[in-house]
Amino acid sequence: SVAHDRRVAAEATLADLARRHTPAEITSLGARLLAHLDPDGEITDDKDRARQRKLSVTGQGVDQMSKLTGHLDPETRGLLDVMLAAWAKPGMNNPGDSESPSGAVDDADPDVLKAAVCRDDRTQPQRNHDALKALLTAVLTDGMLGKTNRGLPIQLIIKADLGDLIREAGFGITAGGTQLPMSDVIRLAAHAQPWLAVFKDSSAIPLFFGQGKRFATTPQRLASFARPDGHFCSAPGCDQPATHVEMHHSRLDFAKGGKTDIVDLAPACPKHNRMVNDEVGGFTTGVHDIGPDAGRTWWRRNSAPGAPLNAARVHRLPDVEALFDDNLTRARTDIHGPPGPAGTEHTETGTGAARPRFQCTQSIRPPLSLVEARLATQLALGR
């Protein structure tokens, strides 16, 4: 909304101020400059607000928590205020209180709400969080989000390993790529509709699947999601979750006679799905029939005519638990030495037991005096 020459002058003014003032001072001075450019407060309009609107959710941290950030336009902010006023009142929608009323405050029994308020020790931001969670749950339960999304039911879809469920440990993974602690998975499973996907020899080859059509059926989409790494696009390096993917005919395109069978389908985001073609730089896909990757879709970048073929790659997520176990075994061997005979443990003394192996040079700095040298020797010898 500002003329070009005034914008150029404003940028030059800020650059000059930045040479002599701190960032905090520049912010204040920039506000004064904006007031000079727009004394009537008419520069910011609906077009500017529409450009700046956004809502983002960060990836999960080590504590499985996610950060929500955004810029809300005035109307959205007003609607949010109304929702929080009705759903985030003290005592309402408290997940830590089984007798807390759910929904809007006007629908709650006054006596029950009064007792719940006395037990409510949450902060206002915590109540805001719980109100948003309760609202999303109500909207999902009422079916207001629709019936399907890219062939998947509009539900909270979670896959989990049977061994983790039995041990009540580990995580489940949603179709959106979110990790849920097993305690949450078990709690949600009490009210869930179960689907069972069985795979051959811990591979990606399913033994049960729905009949094929031009587009994948709901059972096929669920079976695809249940595969190893099926919660992402099958193109190597792509992080688009199952809720954002289409079903790609991996062996042969449907237009060329390909079949819509689950063993021939793989999740692919719209971008990568449309990059499968015969052009240089595009992709060719197929399915491994044998070996450790049996059942997985491979992707190969098309090379120029006469050039060597590029390697066929699969989207394989690393097995973090197996990698950790290997490194733990290696670390214990480095610290304690190789394990002794069966039935013996690492001890400092004892016949037939493996003696700890100390590598003092890796953990103790060189001694500075004769006294320190003698003390280090005594410690290393265990005396």
Side-chain angles (χ1 to χ4, degrees), residues 13 15 70 92 95 109 132 165 197 203 228 243 256 265 290-291 310 335 342:
T13 302
M92 293 297 302
D109 182 281
L132 179 60
L165 283 171
S203 71
T243 51
K256 297 180 180 180
L265 297 176
I290 58 175
N310 291 314
I335 296 173

Side-chain angles (χ1 to χ4, degrees), residues 87 93 95 102-103 129-145 154 156 187-188 191:
W87 287 60
N93 300 296
S102 60
H129 171 277
D130 296 340
L132 179 60
K133 178 180 178 181
L135 179 64
L136 293 175
T137 302
V139 170
L140 182 63
T141 304
D142 290 344
M144 297 178 62
L145 298 181
I154 302 296
L156 182 58
R187 176 175 52 80
L188 293 169
H191 309 285

Side-chain angles (χ1 to χ4, degrees), residues 265-339:
L265 297 176
C269 67
K271 171 187 173 182
H272 283 105
N273 199 11
R274 283 149 185 76
M275 292 179 67
V276 178
N277 51 55
D278 298 328
E279 300 177 0
V280 176
F283 285 101
T284 299
T285 62
V287 180
H288 288 290
D289 294 318
I290 58 175
D293 290 324
R296 293 178 183 261
T297 295
W298 54 260
W299 293 67
R300 176 186 286 125
R301 180 79 72 170
N302 298 335
S303 55
L309 288 177
N310 291 314
R313 302 170 56 204
V314 298
H315 189 178
R316 183 188 297 104
L317 296 179
D319 190 339
V320 177
E321 292 184 1
L323 183 61
F324 173 79
D325 289 340
D326 291 343
N327 284 317
L328 180 60
T329 301
R330 189 177 300 109
R332 287 174 173 172
T333 301
D334 290 342
I335 296 173
H336 300 293

Side-chain angles (χ1 to χ4, degrees), residues 126-341:
Q126 289 174 332
R127 289 197 294 268
N128 293 343
H129 171 277
D130 296 340
L132 179 60
K133 178 180 178 181
L135 179 64
L136 293 175
T137 302
V139 170
L140 182 63
T141 304
D142 290 344
M144 297 178 62
L145 298 181
K147 296 182 178 180
T148 61
N149 172 41
R150 296 187 181 275
L152 285 174
I154 302 296
Q155 299 173 358
L156 182 58
I157 304 173
I158 308 170
K159 70 175 180 180
D161 183 82
L162 178 60
D164 291 341
L165 283 171
I166 294 174
R167 294 185 298 110
E168 299 185 11
F171 295 92
I173 300 178
T174 71
T178 300
Q179 288 187 339
L180 287 181
M182 196 55 59
S183 57
D184 289 347
V185 174
I186 295 174
R187 176 175 52 80
L188 293 169
H191 309 285
Q193 176 185 3
W195 286 76
L196 179 63
V198 182
F199 293 86
K200 178 182 179 182
D201 299 329
S202 300
S203 71
I205 302 177
L207 298 182
F208 169 79
F209 45 87
Q211 293 184 349
K213 299 180 180 180
R214 169 63 181 89
F215 298 101
T217 62
T218 296
Q220 287 177 324
R221 290 297 305 261
L222 292 172
S224 173
F225 168 65
R227 284 171 161 170
D229 305 340
H231 47 288
F232 288 119
C233 169
S234 59
C238 186
D239 61 354
Q240 290 299 301
T243 51
H244 294 174
V245 301
E246 302 167 348
M247 296 310 295
H248 167 61
H249 292 73
S250 303
R251 295 184 187 271
L252 186 64
D253 189 77
F254 185 81
K256 297 180 180 180
K259 298 180 179 180
T260 310
D261 294 335
I262 185 61
V263 291
D264 296 337
L265 297 176
C269 67
K271 171 187 173 182
H272 283 105
N273 199 11
R274 283 149 185 76
M275 292 179 67
V276 178
N277 51 55
D278 298 328
E279 300 177 0
V280 176
F283 285 101
T284 299
T285 62
V287 180
H288 288 290
D289 294 318
I290 58 175
D293 290 324
R296 293 178 183 261
T297 295
W298 54 260
W299 293 67
R300 176 186 286 125
R301 180 79 72 170
N302 298 335
S303 55
L309 288 177
N310 291 314
R313 302 170 56 204
V314 298
H315 189 178
R316 183 188 297 104
L317 296 179
D319 190 339
V320 177
E321 292 184 1
L323 183 61
F324 173 79
D325 289 340
D326 291 343
N327 284 317
L328 180 60
T329 301
R330 189 177 300 109
R332 287 174 173 172
T333 301
D334 290 342
I335 296 173
H336 300 293

